Amino acid sequence: MSAAITRGWCPSLFEPMAARDGLLVRVKPRVEGVKATQLRELADAAAAYGSGQIELTNRGNFQLRGLSDKTLAAFSGAVLSAGLASADPAVERRRNILVSPFAGPAAMTVARQLEAWLESDDGLHALPGKFGFAVDEAAADISVLQVQEQMMVALPGGYAAATPDPVAAVKALTHAFLGLADASMARMAALVAARGTGALFAAAGLSMVVLPPSDTPPPIGPMRGAFGLGLAFGIQDAVMLRGAAGLAERFGKGCLRTTRARSLVVVGTGDGVRGIRAAARALGYITEPGDIRLRIAACAGLPACPQAFSDTRAVGAGLAAHWAGPGVLHVSGCAKGCAAPGGAAVTLVARIQNYDVVQNGRAHDTPVAHGLSLDEAVEWMREKRLCR
Ligand code: SF4
């Protein structure tokens, strides 16, 4: 394995990760979104060659589990023939770009140019596999945002630079990362912490400003002529995914987008939402942005993950009816905290036989309570009025 793969390695279609339930791969949507026909092909391949479960990640990728050495080639072939991946493993490793379902024409032009650059520039081979870009989303190593008529490039930490040429600015920041990051740095946030945001913008010839705050509602239910389909824990099965493809054809323009909120967005639904809401609910999708299940996070846990000490999703599903706190309740199978890397209001961190509790932090932060049984953890939350 090369140094480029080792630094910030992430599973992709051609670089599966071994889990307890088989091989895990990720399929990355292109910036134009996923057509209903492609979604059906993905659902069919997941059912034929994997577990049939299709997860959505917080980077808007599809995550497939339960593949094996015997089925991986057939699955990859199906994904390639559906037009959902590049045949070049190096391109698949670095093709990490998430576009908001609501990106306007100017932002979409930028997204297409960035995607073409990521697919064609072999000079990006040293980019870590975790390094990602976003357009009209401020949650990536480098983001492009359209603020009214102005294009801005943003780095982690709430700073940005206005630019008339966002593609050139992204390239300059990427090359600043490649030139300045040491071998331990897989993400831009690590370089920002080491060098400071101002120095990075200056290295790219850009002038830093504070990023204006934005408050985007969760992309669930009707919004701006589209309809978001939410998922408990970001999981759906092949039947649901085929159903989502049908919703896109029946109520939209035959295309769906993925979001970092782990939802699917049917684009072009117009104002008539009653029909799609009822049909989406019948398939098992969440259609209300206030649904409590959207505020419960849980990683794969047992039995899928070899590091797990708990069946996190079963625990999370059981706690959904009781959670009364602000923000997110996170059930983590170990201290890695995959399901809520940015932290949560409360995190129950599974240990060999019990749970630690972290409040307003990440799974690896210092717990406020140690070694509680699940009942004791619930009682702890009740005392804090975080649980009913
Ligand atoms: S948090 Fe731990 S147990 Fe959960 S998926 Fe990540 S590594 Fe596995």
Side-chain angles (χ1 to χ4, degrees):
M1 192 178 281
S2 75
I5 301 174
T6 307
R7 185 164 64 130
W9 182 82
C10 229
S12 65
L13 181 60
F14 302 108
E15 292 166 331
M17 186 172 88
R20 199 176 267 165
D21 58 348
L23 299 177
L24 175 157
V25 298
R26 291 192 183 136
V27 175
K28 304 172 182 178
R30 294 185 181 279
V31 298
E32 302 290 350
V34 186
K35 293 188 189 121
T37 48
Q38 292 177 307
L39 216 54
R40 267 194 209 96
E41 289 176 74
L42 182 63
D44 291 348
Y49 305 120
S51 68
Q53 280 205 338
I54 304 107
E55 301 175 356
L56 282 172
T57 73
N58 57 13
R59 292 172 146 218
N61 294 327
F62 295 102
Q63 180 162 284
L64 293 301
R65 312 189 72 102
L67 295 151
S68 70
D69 289 332
K70 286 188 184 149
T71 62
L72 184 61
F75 178 80
S76 307
V79 170
L80 283 171
S81 115
L84 285 167
S86 160
D88 182 343
V91 170
E92 274 310 284
R93 188 183 311 136
R94 65 177 181 250
R95 194 173 58 79
N96 298 320
I97 177 164
L98 176 64
V99 183
S100 160
F102 308 109
M108 279 307 300
T109 300
V110 171
R112 289 183 194 108
Q113 290 175 357
L114 290 177
E115 184 175 63
W117 168 61
L118 288 171
E119 290 188 326
S120 61
D121 188 345
D122 291 337
L124 300 172
H125 66 89
L127 215 49
K130 283 186 187 300
F131 198 94
F133 303 84
V135 176
D136 259 7
E137 291 272 6
D141 294 275
I142 305 176
S143 306
V144 176
L145 302 167
Q146 184 168 5
V147 181
Q148 294 169 347
E149 296 307 308
Q150 193 164 50
M151 302 303 282
M152 308 191 85
V153 282
L155 294 179
Y159 292 96
T163 172
D165 189 346
V167 174
V170 169
K171 289 181 180 178
L173 286 167
T174 303
H175 287 293
F177 175 86
L178 289 171
L180 296 171
D182 67 35
S184 71
M185 296 173 180
R187 304 297 305 267
M188 185 61 100
L191 184 60
V192 164
R195 297 279 185 137
T197 324
L200 284 170
F201 278 120
L206 297 162
S207 302
M208 183 176 86
V209 296
V210 177
L211 191 60
S214 84
D215 189 17
T216 323
I220 310 288
M223 346 142 256
R224 295 156 67 178
F227 195 95
L229 311 172
L231 289 163
F233 309 126
I235 308 175
Q236 65 211 309
D237 61 20
V239 174
M240 287 175 77
L241 200 62
R242 287 188 202 107
L247 295 181
E249 288 171 336
R250 196 168 144 208
F251 297 100
K253 294 183 174 167
C255 181
L256 297 102
R257 313 297 292 260
T258 57
T259 76
R260 66 188 177 91
R262 308 172 100 193
S263 65
L264 282 169
V265 173
V266 179
V267 293
T269 55
D271 295 332
V273 297
R274 192 175 294 174
I276 188 170
R277 192 194 295 278
R281 261 198 214 140
L283 285 167
Y285 286 106
I286 296 171
T287 60
E288 305 295 336
D291 192 304
I292 190 70
R293 289 172 292 174
L294 298 170
R295 292 200 292 118
I296 310 291
C299 65
L302 286 174
C305 177
Q307 273 88 46
F309 297 117
S310 162
D311 184 349
T312 48
R313 286 173 177 163
V315 171
L319 291 176
H322 303 287
W323 175 243
V328 169
L329 169 63
H330 175 201
V331 185
S332 187
C334 77
K336 192 170 172 195
C338 295
V346 169
T347 302
L348 304 185
V349 185
R351 299 295 182 189
I352 293 175
Q353 287 188 319
N354 47 40
Y355 293 85
D356 288 349
V357 181
V358 175
Q359 196 167 11
N360 297 321
R362 292 167 294 180
H364 60 264
D365 287 340
T366 306
V368 292
H370 293 269
L372 306 184
S373 68
L374 189 55
D375 285 346
E376 288 168 337
V378 170
E379 199 46 46
W380 181 93
M381 290 190 281
R382 279 207 181 102
E383 282 169 13
K384 302 268 182 287
R385 298 176 186 267
L386 296 167
C387 243
R388 280 185 273 273

